[in-house]
PDB file of all heavy atoms in Angstrom:
ATOM      1  N   ASP U 162     107.048 -89.013  62.675  1.00 89.00           N
ATOM      2  CA  ASP U 162     107.072 -87.769  63.457  1.00 89.00           C
ATOM      3  C   ASP U 162     108.444 -87.457  64.057  1.00 89.00           C
ATOM      4  O   ASP U 162     108.858 -86.346  64.197  1.00 89.00           O
ATOM      5  CB  ASP U 162     106.000 -87.756  64.524  1.00 89.00           C
ATOM      6  CG  ASP U 162     106.101 -88.899  65.549  1.00 89.00           C
ATOM      7  OD1 ASP U 162     106.700 -89.922  65.233  1.00 89.00           O
ATOM      8  OD2 ASP U 162     105.514 -88.726  66.667  1.00 89.00           O
ATOM      9  N   PHE U 163     109.187 -88.544  64.352  1.00 92.00           N
ATOM     10  CA  PHE U 163     110.571 -88.380  64.856  1.00 92.00           C
ATOM     11  C   PHE U 163     111.454 -87.766  63.773  1.00 92.00           C
ATOM     12  O   PHE U 163     112.253 -86.834  64.012  1.00 92.00           O
ATOM     13  CB  PHE U 163     111.141 -89.694  65.368  1.00 92.00           C
ATOM     14  CG  PHE U 163     112.567 -89.584  65.850  1.00 92.00           C
ATOM     15  CD1 PHE U 163     112.798 -89.220  67.159  1.00 92.00           C
ATOM     16  CD2 PHE U 163     113.643 -89.761  64.988  1.00 92.00           C
ATOM     17  CE1 PHE U 163     114.126 -89.060  67.603  1.00 92.00           C
ATOM     18  CE2 PHE U 163     114.961 -89.602  65.426  1.00 92.00           C
ATOM     19  CZ  PHE U 163     115.194 -89.305  66.749  1.00 92.00           C
ATOM     20  N   LEU U 164     111.314 -88.285  62.568  1.00 90.00           N
ATOM     21  CA  LEU U 164     112.107 -87.782  61.415  1.00 90.00           C
ATOM     22  C   LEU U 164     111.823 -86.329  61.133  1.00 90.00           C
ATOM     23  O   LEU U 164     112.718 -85.522  60.959  1.00 90.00           O
ATOM     24  CB  LEU U 164     111.848 -88.597  60.202  1.00 90.00           C
ATOM     25  CG  LEU U 164     112.517 -89.953  60.127  1.00 90.00           C
ATOM     26  CD1 LEU U 164     112.026 -90.773  58.909  1.00 90.00           C
ATOM     27  CD2 LEU U 164     113.997 -89.814  60.048  1.00 90.00           C
ATOM     28  N   ILE U 165     110.540 -85.974  61.144  1.00 91.00           N
ATOM     29  CA  ILE U 165     110.163 -84.577  60.877  1.00 91.00           C
ATOM     30  C   ILE U 165     110.724 -83.682  61.921  1.00 91.00           C
ATOM     31  O   ILE U 165     111.311 -82.622  61.641  1.00 91.00           O
ATOM     32  CB  ILE U 165     108.597 -84.466  60.811  1.00 91.00           C
ATOM     33  CG1 ILE U 165     108.065 -85.199  59.566  1.00 91.00           C
ATOM     34  CG2 ILE U 165     108.135 -83.031  60.790  1.00 91.00           C
ATOM     35  CD1 ILE U 165     106.611 -85.408  59.507  1.00 91.00           C
ATOM     36  N   ASN U 166     110.632 -84.041  63.192  1.00 94.00           N
ATOM     37  CA  ASN U 166     111.178 -83.271  64.297  1.00 94.00           C
ATOM     38  C   ASN U 166     112.721 -83.130  64.151  1.00 94.00           C
ATOM     39  O   ASN U 166     113.257 -82.086  64.338  1.00 94.00           O
ATOM     40  CB  ASN U 166     110.784 -83.863  65.631  1.00 94.00           C
ATOM     41  CG  ASN U 166     111.310 -83.041  66.782  1.00 94.00           C
ATOM     42  OD1 ASN U 166     110.839 -81.955  67.007  1.00 94.00           O
ATOM     43  ND2 ASN U 166     112.244 -83.619  67.537  1.00 94.00           N
ATOM     44  N   HIS U 167     113.371 -84.255  63.833  1.00 92.00           N
ATOM     45  CA  HIS U 167     114.823 -84.254  63.655  1.00 92.00           C
ATOM     46  C   HIS U 167     115.299 -83.328  62.524  1.00 92.00           C
ATOM     47  O   HIS U 167     116.204 -82.520  62.679  1.00 92.00           O
ATOM     48  CB  HIS U 167     115.300 -85.696  63.430  1.00 92.00           C
ATOM     49  CG  HIS U 167     116.753 -85.817  63.224  1.00 92.00           C
ATOM     50  ND1 HIS U 167     117.698 -85.638  64.202  1.00 92.00           N
ATOM     51  CD2 HIS U 167     117.459 -86.018  62.030  1.00 92.00           C
ATOM     52  CE1 HIS U 167     118.896 -85.768  63.661  1.00 92.00           C
ATOM     53  NE2 HIS U 167     118.779 -85.999  62.347  1.00 92.00           N
ATOM     54  N   ILE U 168     114.631 -83.423  61.423  1.00 93.00           N
ATOM     55  CA  ILE U 168     114.962 -82.628  60.271  1.00 93.00           C
ATOM     56  C   ILE U 168     114.738 -81.126  60.540  1.00 93.00           C
ATOM     57  O   ILE U 168     115.595 -80.299  60.222  1.00 93.00           O
ATOM     58  CB  ILE U 168     114.219 -83.076  58.961  1.00 93.00           C
ATOM     59  CG1 ILE U 168     114.733 -84.471  58.603  1.00 93.00           C
ATOM     60  CG2 ILE U 168     114.435 -82.125  57.849  1.00 93.00           C
ATOM     61  CD1 ILE U 168     113.825 -85.194  57.557  1.00 93.00           C
ATOM     62  N   ALA U 169     113.610 -80.783  61.132  1.00 94.00           N
ATOM     63  CA  ALA U 169     113.338 -79.399  61.465  1.00 94.00           C
ATOM     64  C   ALA U 169     114.370 -78.866  62.473  1.00 94.00           C
ATOM     65  O   ALA U 169     114.861 -77.734  62.285  1.00 94.00           O
ATOM     66  CB  ALA U 169     111.906 -79.269  62.036  1.00 94.00           C
TER      67      ALA U 169
END
Side-chain angles (χ1 to χ4, degrees):
D162 60 337
F163 179 87
L164 283 173
I165 292 168
N166 183 66
H167 176 73
I168 293 167

